Amino acid sequence: MSYIIKTKSEIKKMRTSGKLAAEVLEMIKKYLRPNISTEDINQICHDYIIYEKKAIPACLGYHGFPKSICTSINDVVCHGIPNKKKILKEGDIINIDITIIKDNYHGDTSKMFLIGKTSILSKRLCKIAQESLYLSLKLIRPGIPLYKIGEIIQNYVEKNNFSVVKEYCGHGIGRNFHEEPHILHYKNKENNILLKKGMIFTIEPMINAGNPQVRCMKDDGWTVKTKDRSLSAQYEHTVLVTDYGCDVLTRRNNEKISQKLFNKN
Ligand code: MF3
Ligand code: CO
Ligand code: CO
């Protein structure tokens, strides 16, 4: 089987894990000011996940990843490694990607933070990235072919003259960090699996202000940057397919989207 339907008890655990991952993003907001290093951001999140939430930071040691969270600034598309020499400055845009394990189940979510006064382009890029994710959430319900998710994201992003990264995708999630199916953020008609109630997966579009091509830095083996050094933005949620639409398991408290989306019709 190319996808996994979660049981009731698994769904309960995934709700807890999702909530917890979201709470890390809520908690870290107040620390994100010019002059903080990404290492310090990592340490605060690490301690909060372990000591306050009694959970495990899933990134730490994952295929050798050296830190507990990913911090991706400006032209870094994803998988930025926290570092004490990497200091936030006014005008930066940073994606913080949190994955936690609680009671053996994963929650995975990320968002952009804008540091101080940022450019009009930065603001627009982040806004379009978030809106592309929201549009895709609003069409999820049983019976929808998987490619519809990528289609709506790609159409919206390109209509706004930005580009979608093709090399990285969303994923099923549960006991494993990355499970079937792959969730592409661009249209691929072969991807015609139909969504079913009980599936849980992430949607995490990465969008670039310039060309879609990316490259992985050879020196650390992780950091992915845009090839043309243009800005990149990403938002990620973990979602459960319900009989009425979907539940956004990683919704943050003051986020302007409902936890339960009723997507019939
Ligand atoms: N959280 C990322 C995702 O959304 C994966 C990070 S893997 C790491 O799938 F090893 F870089 F942490
Ligand atoms: Co993910
Ligand atoms: Co993630």
Side-chain angles (χ1 to χ4, degrees):
M1 193 154 74
S2 58
Y3 56 82
I4 300 164
I5 302 299
K6 264 69 180 179
T7 64
K8 239 181 162 176
S9 87
E10 289 183 297
I11 290 169
K12 191 168 175 226
K13 290 176 185 170
M14 288 298 285
R15 286 189 194 285
T16 304
S17 301
K19 181 86 195 107
L20 218 144
E23 283 168 357
V24 182
L25 288 179
E26 290 169 356
M27 177 279 302
I28 200 63
K29 185 176 186 328
K30 63 176 174 295
Y31 296 98
L32 303 177
R33 297 279 181 274
N35 293 324
I36 188 168
S37 71
T38 53
E39 172 59 42
D40 286 344
I41 298 168
N42 177 75
Q43 192 64 53
I44 295 164
C45 291
H46 177 92
D47 289 348
Y48 181 80
I49 292 166
I50 291 184
Y51 301 112
E52 301 221 15
K53 298 296 173 182
K54 316 284 184 215
I56 299 166
C59 294
L60 186 59
Y62 183 76
H63 293 286
F65 191 80
K67 299 287 172 174
S68 298
I69 64 170
C70 297
T71 50
S72 303
I73 301 175
N74 298 338
D75 63 331
V76 178
V77 174
C78 63
H79 304 166
I81 304 175
N83 182 314
K84 62 181 186 313
K85 288 188 210 131
K86 193 82 210 154
I87 311 284
L88 286 190
K89 56 182 192 317
E90 175 106 12
D92 281 345
I93 57 171
I94 179 174
N95 174 279
I96 299 191
D97 194 336
I98 304 288
T99 312
I100 64 90
I101 309 168
K102 179 78 174 180
D103 210 358
N104 294 315
Y105 285 82
H106 291 73
D108 187 6
T109 185
S110 82
K111 75 179 290 286
M112 300 303 297
F113 295 91
L114 294 87
I115 307 304
K117 197 173 158 45
T118 52
S119 70
I120 290 168
L121 176 65
S122 299
K123 288 196 199 85
R124 204 170 72 83
L125 183 70
C126 294
K127 181 168 175 277
I128 299 299
Q130 185 171 43
E131 286 172 353
S132 76
L133 170 60
Y134 285 176
L135 279 175
S136 68
L137 297 177
K138 285 173 186 163
L139 64 76
I140 293 175
R141 60 182 160 93
I144 294 284
L146 211 48
Y147 74 81
K148 289 271 181 198
I149 293 174
E151 179 180 64
I152 200 163
I153 290 170
Q154 183 173 28
N155 285 346
Y156 185 69
V157 168
E158 292 180 355
K159 194 178 79 192
N160 283 283
N161 293 314
F162 294 135
S163 64
V164 175
V165 172
K166 312 284 190 306
E167 286 82 350
Y168 299 88
C169 48
H171 48 91
I173 182 168
R175 253 179 197 279
N176 305 299
F177 195 156
H178 297 105
E179 300 180 350
E180 290 293 315
H182 294 282
I183 311 290
L184 306 184
H185 304 116
Y186 58 95
K187 188 169 165 183
N188 175 351
K189 275 262 162 119
E190 280 146 50
N191 212 341
N192 50 17
I193 293 174
L194 301 185
L195 296 183
K196 273 185 100 170
K197 179 180 171 181
M199 290 172 79
I200 299 184
F201 52 83
T202 74
I203 306 178
E204 47 184 299
M206 281 145 265
I207 79 165
N208 298 346
N211 296 324
Q213 286 80 19
V214 300
R215 52 190 176 141
C216 185
M217 297 300 104
K218 290 216 178 65
D219 55 347
D220 65 24
W222 282 103
T223 308
V224 177
K225 292 186 178 178
T226 56
K227 208 168 195 173
D228 63 6
R229 307 300 304 268
S230 66
L231 293 171
S232 189
Q234 179 181 28
Y235 284 79
E236 174 176 25
H237 271 312
T238 300
V239 298
L240 162 71
V241 182
T242 60
D243 48 20
Y244 48 79
C246 72
D247 278 6
V248 185
L249 301 183
T250 47
R251 180 185 177 275
R252 297 177 298 282
N253 260 327
N254 52 16
E255 201 173 348
K256 288 187 185 63
I257 189 164
S258 307
Q259 170 99 51
K260 293 184 185 300
L261 295 173
F262 293 86
N263 294 338
K264 282 263 164 68
N265 305 316

